[in-house]
Amino acid sequence: TKSTEIITSILGCRTTEFIYTGSATEADNLAVLGTARANKDKGNRIIVSEIEHKGVLAICEILRKEGFDVVELPVGKDGLIEISAIEEAITPQTILVSITSADSETGTIQPIAEIAQMIARVREKNKTSIPYFHTDASQTAGYLDVNVNNLGVDLMTLSAHKLYGPKGIGGLYIRRGTAVNPIIYGGGQQG
């Protein structure tokens, strides 16, 4: 559709790499839960910040119960996460890093592109495609660059109502080749 072409043009991705969800929370759930379950044969560590959206933190509690090692990293007094802390927390078992682009309460903007560059160096060093990198860009879309190639993310959550769209619509960019299992089954709807 025309709207999908516009969105994916702004994101700098293929139309097949973007899916609509019922909300940003659903997109966060799919990004974290779907990626964790799809890649559990490669590792069990998930790294997030302590200020993630509830849609990420709630899923992390479920993943802990499933045996995943979830690391919640603190932020500094300035609200920023230290890139070096993320790098230190990454082990060969790390399959996903999820850091929100901006905190909705403080307005703190995280260095997403720099985090992605560090993760790319880790992947190159370890000759692997993991960990995948997810960001919830619901608060930054419309204000900052959300081109997924410029940011270097593998998964990115968006929310329509933060961009003057209707409530009840979210979206998730999933980079081609990123393994993500569905979290909703049945219905039989096509495209």
Side-chain angles (χ1 to χ4, degrees):
T1 66
K2 185 71 173 165
S3 58
T4 304
E5 289 173 12
I6 293 168
I7 292 167
T8 55
S9 172
I10 292 167
L11 297 181
C13 68
R14 299 173 178 94
T15 57
T16 56
E17 293 176 308
F18 184 78
I19 61 166
Y20 292 97
T21 60
S23 63
T25 299
E26 183 183 336
D28 280 345
N29 282 200
L30 176 58
V32 176
L33 186 65
T35 302
R37 287 180 175 168
N39 294 281
K40 65 183 175 184
D41 61 324
K42 296 177 184 147
N44 73 333
R45 180 170 272 209
I46 312 292
I47 299 171
V48 299
S49 76
E50 65 185 0
I51 59 168
E52 291 304 301
H53 185 276
K54 291 177 186 176
V56 169
L57 295 177
I59 286 300
C60 286
E61 287 307 310
I62 291 169
L63 290 171
R64 278 189 179 104
K65 292 175 184 171
E66 292 182 12
F68 285 88
D69 174 25
V70 178
V71 178
E72 284 184 37
L73 296 175
V75 295
K77 291 179 183 178
D78 57 3
L80 293 171
I81 192 157
E82 291 290 330
I83 296 173
S84 60
I86 300 170
E87 188 169 9
E88 289 172 18
I90 293 175
T91 69
Q93 293 298 309
T94 306
I95 54 178
L96 180 66
V97 175
S98 182
I99 305 295
T100 191
S101 293
D103 184 80
S104 62
E105 294 178 22
T106 66
T108 304
I109 299 169
Q110 300 297 334
I112 298 303
E114 290 83 359
I115 295 168
Q117 289 167 2
M118 177 273 296
I119 290 172
R121 287 191 301 272
V122 169
R123 290 177 185 165
E124 189 175 320
K125 176 183 164 193
N126 296 333
K127 296 178 176 39
T128 181
S129 62
I130 59 171
Y132 293 118
F133 183 32
H134 166 252
T135 190
D136 183 330
S138 297
Q139 301 298 331
T140 55
Y143 300 99
L144 300 176
D145 184 8
V146 288
N147 181 292
V148 295
N149 299 303
N150 295 343
L151 293 175
V153 296
D154 302 298
L155 303 119
M156 185 168 62
T157 296
L158 297 172
S159 178
H161 78 273
K162 301 286 184 176
L163 299 164
Y164 306 102
K167 286 191 175 196
I169 299 174
L172 182 64
Y173 158 73
I174 305 172
R175 184 177 301 279
R176 187 176 182 182
T178 303
V180 179
N181 281 355
I183 59 170
I184 298 173
Y185 297 89
Q189 291 84 10
Q190 296 294 319

